[in-house]
């Protein structure tokens, strides 16, 4: 994927940037007391963080708590004045943008339910023209990288150069321990397409429960992401939204204290040499793998021709099942996790079937050839 964004590096606009850039605060603004108490506790151990709180909440069903509304902006200001923290909130339309700008909110983010809609994103981008404020764009609910990139482009085209992406996971029907499947590969692809784009992970919305937050947060840091957005409430048990996933400020401190920040640059020449050596081995093995796969697919094609000439179906369920099970058990002996072997075999088998289908239908669809 190609993604060209004109971006000011995070370190050039965020005062005293250090990893992780922390964005913490409640899912929703609920009362002035809740905001101030939570903000003060966060500022006490991480004064360089950004205080978050949702003012307008996009909810799936009406007649649930849809955010406290405009009054929350006043409380936001009070948090800023009393704690010195920068403040951030979610905007879903141009009116939200205008109200936030008027109220002096420092950073705005576009939520997952808004990123999916290019009309809404464009409205927000238009409202941001001529404004110098950092904007964070959450990934869309569905795993569509183009939508995420498109929203970033729209905001960037409006002249916003203090831009970052927030990875908050994707809706999935799979059985998974996560509320939103992380699909790390999508965040990695975005980062690869645009390495200068700062990337923030939101472990709260990925995990949906406090227990998994440290694991997700560490993984995000190991993928060289820049920051973390973690929902933090002075008393999650009474939270009006996302009560199950919010942590108390002292838990947030523990999570941050336990994170191991590893360096993304390599200065030591001995370390570099060793790493280059291992990488060269991997490159060679990857080439071997590709050559083997190519050979395997050529045989699949031959099998397809043979099946076609003998009028036999492509899929022989019993044979495929046997092959699959044997491969799982060989993988097991070789120390490869079942999920990994399953996923890999699924891909190989799909491609094999695709090739055989091509061969099978060659004659039928191209008479005379
Ligand atoms: C939120 O941050 O509270 C929120 C609604 O997040 P998302 O847009 O990721 O669902
Ligand atoms: Mn939330």
């Amino acid at each position: 994927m190609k993604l060209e964004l004109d971006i000011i590096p995070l370190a050039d606009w965020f005062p005293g940037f250090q990893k992780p850039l922390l964005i913490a605060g409640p899912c929703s603004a609920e009362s002035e007391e809740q905001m101030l108490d939570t903000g003060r506790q966060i500022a006490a151990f991480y004064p360089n963080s950004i205080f978050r709180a949702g003012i307008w909440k996009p909810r799936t069903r009406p007649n649930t708590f849809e955010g406290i509304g405009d009054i929350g902006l006043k409380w936001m200001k009070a948090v800023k004045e009393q704690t010195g923290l920068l403040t951030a909130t979610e905007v879903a339309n141009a009116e939200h943008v205008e109200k936030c700008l008027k109220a002096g909110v420092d950073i705005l983010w576009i939520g997952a339910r808004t990123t999916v809609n290019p009309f809404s994103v464009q409205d927000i981008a238009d409202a941001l023209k001529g404004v110098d404020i950092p904007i964070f764009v959450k990934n869309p609910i569905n795993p569509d990288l183009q939508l995420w990139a498109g929203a970033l482009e729209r905001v960037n085209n409006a002249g916003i150069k203090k831009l970052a992406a927030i990875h908050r996971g994707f809706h999935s029907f799979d059985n998974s321990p996560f509320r939103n499947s992380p699909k790390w590969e999508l965040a990695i692809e975005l980062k690869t397409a645009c390495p200068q784009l700062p990337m923030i992970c939101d472990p709260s919305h990925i995990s949906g429960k406090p227990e998994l937050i440290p694991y997700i947060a560490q993984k995000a840091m190991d993928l060289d992401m820049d920051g973390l957005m973690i929902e933090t409430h002075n008393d999650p048990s009474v939270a009006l939204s996302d009560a199950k996933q919010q942590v108390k400020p002292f838990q947030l401190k523990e999570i941050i204290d336990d994170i191991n920040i590893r360096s993304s640059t390599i200065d030591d020449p001995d370390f570099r040499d060793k790493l280059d050596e291992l990488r060269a081995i991997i490159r060679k093995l990857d080439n071997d793998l590709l050559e083997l796969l190519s050979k395997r697919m050529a045989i699949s094609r031959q099998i397809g021709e043979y099946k076609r000439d003998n009028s036999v179906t492509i899929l022989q369920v019993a044979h495929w099942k046997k092959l699959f099970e044997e491969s799982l058990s060989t993988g097991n002996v070789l120390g490869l996790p079942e999920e990994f072997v399953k996923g890999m075999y699924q891909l190989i088998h799909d491609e094999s079937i695709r090739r055989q289908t091509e061969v099978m239908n060659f004659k039928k669809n191209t008479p005379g050839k």
Side-chain angles (χ1 to χ4, degrees):
M1 188 183 65
K2 224 174 129 199
L3 179 62
E4 277 164 22
L5 300 171
D6 182 9
I7 283 181
I8 301 177
L10 196 50
D12 290 353
W13 64 261
F14 189 80
F17 167 67
Q18 62 171 54
K19 272 193 191 184
L21 174 75
L22 179 63
I23 304 153
C27 177
S28 299
E30 294 167 7
S31 71
E32 185 163 26
E33 202 264 324
Q34 168 237 18
M35 298 266 279
L36 285 173
D37 187 28
T38 309
R40 280 195 198 109
Q41 292 191 58
I42 295 169
F45 70 87
Y46 216 97
N48 210 18
S49 56
I50 299 165
F51 181 81
R52 65 149 280 158
I55 304 286
W56 306 280
K57 300 302 295 180
R59 304 306 296 278
T60 309
R61 305 286 298 266
N63 306 322
T64 49
F65 176 65
E66 294 188 288
I68 205 79
D70 299 5
I71 182 129
L73 293 170
K74 273 202 194 133
W75 305 337
M76 203 77 144
K77 208 170 194 166
V79 172
K80 185 179 165 77
E81 281 163 8
Q82 295 192 29
T83 64
L85 296 177
L86 293 177
T87 52
T89 196
E90 173 178 349
V91 289
N93 57 41
E95 192 192 346
H96 294 164
V97 173
E98 274 146 34
K99 286 182 173 173
C100 287
L101 294 176
K102 224 165 118 196
V105 180
D106 300 290
I107 294 164
L108 309 179
W109 81 81
I110 299 179
R113 288 161 196 76
T114 305
T115 308
V116 287
N117 185 341
F119 287 129
S120 303
V121 174
Q122 192 57 53
D123 269 357
I124 293 171
D126 290 343
L128 287 167
K129 280 196 180 126
V131 175
D132 181 26
I133 188 171
I135 303 291
F136 298 161
V137 180
K138 286 199 171 196
N139 66 253
I141 300 229
N142 50 326
D144 184 337
L145 195 54
Q146 298 295 333
L147 265 182
W148 198 3
L152 287 158
E153 282 172 328
R154 285 177 198 278
V155 174
N156 196 222
N157 288 343
I160 300 292
K161 295 185 179 181
K162 297 169 185 166
L163 196 59
I166 302 182
H167 170 232
R168 52 77 79 197
F170 302 86
H171 178 74
S172 156
F173 292 106
D174 293 349
N175 262 344
S176 134
F178 303 113
R179 177 179 176 195
N180 287 292
S181 166
K183 296 198 182 300
W184 296 102
E185 66 281 9
L186 294 185
I188 293 170
E189 199 177 334
L190 188 69
K191 183 99 190 134
T192 311
C194 189
Q196 76 274 28
L197 176 68
M199 179 83 68
I200 292 155
C201 181
D202 173 346
S204 301
H205 288 88
I206 292 178
S207 44
K209 41 179 149 345
E211 308 85 270
L212 292 174
I213 292 178
Y215 164 74
I216 295 288
Q218 183 63 55
K219 179 141 182 182
M221 291 299 102
D222 287 339
L223 290 176
D224 201 20
M225 292 195 185
D226 301 278
L228 297 168
M229 177 185 261
I230 299 181
E231 286 190 339
T232 310
H233 192 296
N234 62 342
D235 185 0
S237 68
V238 297
L240 299 178
S241 62
D242 285 348
K244 283 198 214 127
Q245 72 192 26
Q246 302 200 59
V247 295
K248 291 187 174 176
F250 86 88
Q251 293 172 295
L252 177 71
K253 179 175 185 320
E254 281 173 10
I255 293 168
I256 299 298
D257 285 349
D258 284 351
I259 285 180
N260 194 347
I261 302 288
R262 299 176 172 103
S263 167
S264 59
T265 51
I266 307 150
D267 299 327
D268 176 358
D270 286 347
F271 174 78
R272 258 223 95 90
D273 286 352
K274 181 74 190 160
L275 190 65
D276 284 348
E277 200 183 294
L278 293 172
R279 281 179 172 163
I281 297 174
I282 290 269
R283 250 196 313 277
K284 154 94 177 59
L285 287 172
D286 280 351
N287 282 338
D288 291 352
L289 272 175
L290 290 173
E291 275 179 32
L292 277 174
L293 282 171
S294 165
K295 277 187 200 155
R296 190 197 187 284
M297 292 306 163
I299 304 277
S300 287
R301 183 172 281 275
Q302 271 183 30
I303 292 181
E305 284 163 5
Y306 197 57
K307 284 179 183 165
R308 178 194 63 203
D309 295 344
N310 289 281
S311 254
V312 171
T313 55
I314 296 176
L315 186 62
Q316 313 272 302
V317 179
H319 171 72
W320 161 238
K321 253 185 97 174
K322 186 164 167 278
L323 185 81
F324 191 61
E325 272 154 22
E326 276 172 12
S327 301
L328 286 187
S329 97
T330 308
N332 190 16
V333 173
L334 295 173
L336 297 170
E338 191 168 308
E339 277 312 304
F340 172 71
V341 178
K342 262 189 194 164
M344 188 186 67
Y345 255 89
Q346 205 64 56
L347 278 175
I348 292 176
H349 193 237
D350 285 353
E351 174 61 11
S352 193
I353 287 190
R354 192 190 66 76
R355 290 199 178 213
Q356 293 188 29
T357 308
E358 226 172 59
V359 172
M360 286 272 184
N361 297 317
F362 183 67
K363 259 189 187 161
K364 208 167 59 195
N365 292 341
T366 51
K369 287 204 174 176

